[in-house]
Amino acid sequence: MALLYFAATYEIVEYLQHSYSRDIADDRADDLSRQLALVRYRLEASVTSEIFEANALAAYIAVSPQSSAHQWLPLAENIRRKAHHIRNIGVAPNDVISFVYPRQGNEKALGLDFRLHPEQWRTVEIAKNNGKIFVAGPLTLVQGGEAIIARIPIFSDPPNNKNYWGVCSVALDWNRLLHDAGSDSFPDDVELAIRGVDGQGELGAVFYGDPQVFTQPLRTETVNLVSGTWQLAIKEIAHDSLEIWFKSNLVRLLGYTLSVVLFISVILLLNTYRNAHRYSYEDVLTKIGNRRRAMQMLQKLHKHGSHFCIFNIDLNNFKQINDNFGHVAGDALLVEIARRLESVLRGSDLVARIGGDEFLVILPRISAIENIQAVQDKIHAEVCVPTFVWHGITLPIQLSMGYACFPEAAQTIEDLLHNADRAMYADKQRCREQEVG
């Protein structure tokens, strides 16, 4: 039954755990998808809006190609005040930077000739040839740090765009963009990666995170830029965490714990019932049968009409032992007598304590006088004769016995017990007369 119980428990718990894990995984995937979509939206909105903020300066220069840096400065200040991720704005007439805002910290960029820096010239040339904004990077800036660079080509003859004037470059702080978009808000066991350098989307190189994230990613999102796209991806990674382990095995922990507690509770209840049942038929002191147990056996034998004999046994002078040596000594004597009686009788016989110092012996299938006398002699020889020493004190054992047989001596249990009791008291009286004589 225990094996069947635990087998059924295993099947139920594992089924519930599987269902729970599937539901949790689905819910978590949905939450992570929403989180990734939010990161995508923030990146897309920030990059696009701030590039178009900076495009106002390029538009001003396009319609006023003879304007000076002094005229560009208020526009640049206003643009940077509104766009929190713009690190700097550079203007390069004929592809040589002559204006940068803010100037402080970007001095190295002044005088930079894009044509002498192949990697930067490549992106400027793409914007020039296409005649529209090109988003490059992330790139490492000459003045330090990483940035997304928007190359805004400037033509002095809009809208024909035939006469190339130069380029306006806008650097967006890449690390700040990522942080504000929520790239570091994913759980510890979820990794984010981004690919698509220069807006090449899924065909571009990975420029943030582990490239392995794009191998069977949990979810992907596409960031639409002014030119091209980036691809975002998230993937769950192995992560040793007690909290994660606990959450992933919650049903198992609760299910198996509950099943073990339930099993132990049932065992304890059964054991309590068994003990209660046993104790209801057992004498607390001597651990042999009690009056209830004796009556149960007598009723069973009487019901089947079996021949049987009972012995009513009483200790002589037991009160003096209690008075002289204490009740602890008396209890020890009762336990010893019960043990000796059980050792003398057969396995089918019953010894029960039915009173303070009174015992009842039930002998099934015995009715012949010679057999009864043999049992009586054996009890006297092996129960009364051996001395009993308790804590250095020799306690004498003297018994009075009376027997009665069914159905010869009586037809009812009450009469049988009464006859055995009368015979016992007759034997006790003889013992007293012998002591007096």
Side-chain angles (χ1 to χ4, degrees), residues 359-371:
F359 294 86
L360 184 69
V361 176
I362 302 176
L363 306 171
R365 300 185 303 279
I366 286 184
S367 58
I369 296 299
E370 60 273 16
N371 293 335

Side-chain angles (χ1 to χ4, degrees), residues 336-396:
E336 178 63 17
I337 291 173
R339 185 191 67 78
R340 291 184 181 185
L341 284 172
E342 279 197 317
S343 66
V344 167
L345 302 174
R346 304 167 299 176
S348 59
D349 301 334
L350 174 70
V351 180
R353 182 184 174 209
I354 59 175
D357 60 345
E358 189 175 356
F359 294 86
L360 184 69
V361 176
I362 302 176
L363 306 171
R365 300 185 303 279
I366 286 184
S367 58
I369 296 299
E370 60 273 16
N371 293 335
I372 296 172
Q373 188 62 49
V375 172
Q376 194 171 17
D377 293 341
K378 191 174 181 180
I379 290 174
H380 274 293
E382 298 190 25
V383 176
C384 300
V385 175
T387 58
F388 174 59
V389 180
W390 178 78
H391 290 187
I393 302 171
T394 300
L395 301 179

Side-chain angles (χ1 to χ4, degrees), residues 125-157:
E125 196 172 29
I126 292 174
K128 174 184 175 181
N129 294 335
N130 292 335
K132 57 185 180 181
I133 300 171
F134 179 75
V135 179
L139 299 174
T140 300
L141 302 176
V142 293
Q143 62 269 44
E146 282 189 307
I148 301 298
I149 308 295
R151 307 295 190 188
I152 308 175
I154 301 174
F155 297 88
S156 60
D157 59 337

